[in-house]
């Protein structure tokens, strides 16, 4: 039996934390449940999921549609596009049966890449990974970039077609996954009829998704549009991640929301990143654990939440130093995490 391998590459960088990653999980479950009602898809489609942040990993090996389990998606800093493409190449090499004189192999894999940021790894590594996927071409590759940070020219190097979702909301992500589902479904019908197939069903493309040609969209060149600061709750001593959005007109960072971080491996990655002057931060989002409205910088480099009624002194949840609040240095530069 010839299979149609479908590889889904998901950006799990920190900017996906919260509703985006939840919407992507619901999108995946919609895709699987819908495809499972289709006899053509059940017969031919095999699914694999690769996630990437500071590293890349295959979280679902190429699996028969009926048996795919949706993985938990862990969010970490970084957007290692080059590593993701490298993992994809290795997986295709190891999992997809090629056609030889003796046997008919699988159909050419269908790849969907979903990302919301610029690659943070070395461009040479990305270039090399692109070359290994395209010379010779080993997959039909479609990229969907979400938001304003995406380097579409880089994506178009590896993609047969590149698309942009301007606004990433639960509703637009749901529509995106309905479209991808329809495309896999028509591809799984198409492969049965002819040797070639069209990867994406353009007739079902939602209005929110636009096609982007090379050189058409310039990514934002100024300060990062989002920054993420790791902080510690003074009450629970648990870590959380504060999200800020850059206001291009006012040129300051506005607080958006906080997200709890699990105390395990996921939160330990949020280090080693560029600096943002604290003067540009307009306050802080409430603590994700106790809703304290203020933040305080400790000399050890940690940020902690503070209650509305300021205590006279505070003990840092990280270094256990107790200090009077008047010692706060307003010019302190905060270490942020790069998404
Ligand atoms: Zn707190
Ligand atoms: Zn401290």
């Amino acid at each position: 039996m010839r299979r149609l391998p479908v590889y889904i590459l998901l950006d799990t960088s920190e900017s996906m934390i919260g509703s985006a990653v939840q919407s992507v999980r619901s999108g995946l479950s919609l895709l699987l449940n819908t495809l499972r009602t289709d006899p053509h898809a059940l017969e031919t489609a095999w699914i694999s999921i690769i996630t990437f942040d500071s590293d890349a990993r295959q979280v679902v090996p190429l699996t028969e549609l009926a048996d795919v389990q949706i993985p938990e998606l862990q969010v970490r800093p970084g957007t290692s596009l080059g590593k993701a493409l490298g993992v994809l190449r290795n997986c295709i090499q190891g999992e997809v049966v090629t056609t030889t004189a003796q046997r008919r192999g699988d159909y050419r894999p269908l790849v969907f890449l979903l990302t919301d940021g610029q690659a943070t790894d070395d461009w040479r590594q990305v270039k090399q990974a692109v070359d290994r996927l395209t010379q010779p071409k080993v997959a039909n590759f479609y990229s969907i970039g979400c938001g304003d940070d995406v380097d579409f020219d880089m994506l178009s190097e590896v993609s047969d077609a590149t698309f942009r979702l301007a606004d990433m909301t639960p509703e637009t992500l749901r529509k995106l996954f309905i479209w991808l589902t329809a495309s896999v479904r028509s591809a799984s019908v198409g492969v049965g009829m002819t040797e070639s197939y069209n990867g994406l069903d353009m007739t079902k493309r939602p209005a929110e998704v636009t096609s982007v040609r090379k050189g058409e969209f310039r990514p934002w060149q100024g300060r990062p549009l989002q920054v993420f600061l790791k902080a510690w709750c003074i009450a629970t001593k648990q870590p959380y991640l504060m999200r800020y959005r850059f206001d291009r007109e006012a040129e300051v960072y506005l607080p958006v929301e906080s997200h709890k971080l699990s105390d395990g491996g996921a939160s330990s990655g949020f280090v080693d990143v560029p600096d943002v002057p604290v003067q540009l931060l307009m306050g802080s989002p409430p603590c994700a654990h106790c809703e304290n409205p203020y933040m305080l910088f400790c000399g050890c480099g940690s940020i902690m939440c503070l209650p509305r009624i300021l205590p006279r002194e505070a003990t840092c949840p990280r270094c256990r130093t107790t200090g009077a609040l008047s010692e706060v240095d307003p010019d302190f530069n905060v270490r942020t995490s790069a998404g």
Side-chain angles (χ1 to χ4, degrees), residues 275-324:
D275 290 351
V276 156
V278 72
Q279 299 94 307
L280 294 185
L281 302 176
M282 297 294 108
S284 57
C287 171
H289 297 284
C290 72
E291 299 194 357
N292 269 348
Y294 300 131
M295 64 172 166
L296 172 70
F297 307 103
C298 176
C300 75
S302 307
I303 305 173
M304 65 195 98
C305 72
L306 274 190
R308 191 171 296 282
I309 297 161
L310 291 177
R312 291 179 56 197
E313 51 177 36
T315 301
C316 171
R318 297 306 305 293
C319 69
R320 313 282 165 192
T321 304
T322 300

Side-chain angles (χ1 to χ4, degrees), residues 132-210:
R132 291 190 64 217
L133 280 164
T134 55
Q135 300 167 6
K137 182 177 159 73
V138 298
N140 288 357
F141 200 113
Y142 301 93
S143 298
I144 299 109
C146 303
D148 292 335
D149 279 344
V150 178
D151 186 344
F152 286 96
D153 287 356
M154 177 78 89
L155 291 184
S156 65
E157 293 290 328
V158 70
S159 311
D160 294 281
T162 311
F163 300 90
R164 176 166 182 260
L165 182 65
D167 238 348
M168 193 167 39
T169 65
E171 184 52 24
T172 57
L173 280 170
R174 200 181 67 87
K175 288 186 185 172
L176 177 75
F177 273 93
I178 291 174
W179 176 45
L180 297 186
T181 305
S183 301
V184 176
R185 185 184 234 167
S186 57
S188 70
V189 176
V191 289
M193 315 257 186
T194 56
E195 276 305 301
S196 65
Y197 64 92
N198 293 319
L200 283 180
D201 187 343
M202 292 302 170
T203 60
K204 301 212 164 61
R205 177 157 57 107
E208 289 86 350
V209 177
T210 51

Side-chain angles (χ1 to χ4, degrees), residues 18-85:
S19 70
V21 87
Q22 284 317 315
S23 303
V24 166
R25 282 200 89 224
S26 348
L28 284 175
S29 111
L30 183 144
L31 180 129
L32 295 174
N33 290 335
T34 312
L35 288 179
R36 281 172 185 153
T37 65
D38 186 296
H40 291 285
L42 272 175
E43 215 167 89
T44 54
W46 284 53
I47 311 277
S48 165
I49 300 171
I50 293 168
T51 62
F52 62 103
D53 35 71
S54 55
D55 205 356
R57 59 203 78 74
Q58 188 183 37
V59 291
V60 175
L62 195 63
T63 305
E64 197 169 352
L65 177 60
D67 297 333
V68 180
Q69 306 274 339
I70 299 169
E72 280 302 326
L73 300 175
Q74 288 265 14
V75 174
R76 298 183 187 84
T79 307
S80 297
L81 180 61
K83 284 185 190 164
L85 298 179

Side-chain angles (χ1 to χ4, degrees), residues 17 75 228-243 257-271 285-291 302-305 316-318 320:
I17 200 167
V75 174
F228 295 86
L229 300 178
K230 190 182 178 183
W232 298 80
C233 176
I234 205 162
T236 66
K237 316 238 185 313
Q238 292 298 306
Y240 62 101
L241 202 61
M242 298 189 289
R243 182 200 290 260
E257 59 185 325
S258 294
H259 305 275
K260 287 179 189 172
L261 285 174
S262 57
D263 211 2
S267 53
S268 61
F270 291 93
V271 287
C287 171
H289 297 284
C290 72
E291 299 194 357
S302 307
I303 305 173
M304 65 195 98
C305 72
C316 171
R318 297 306 305 293
R320 313 282 165 192

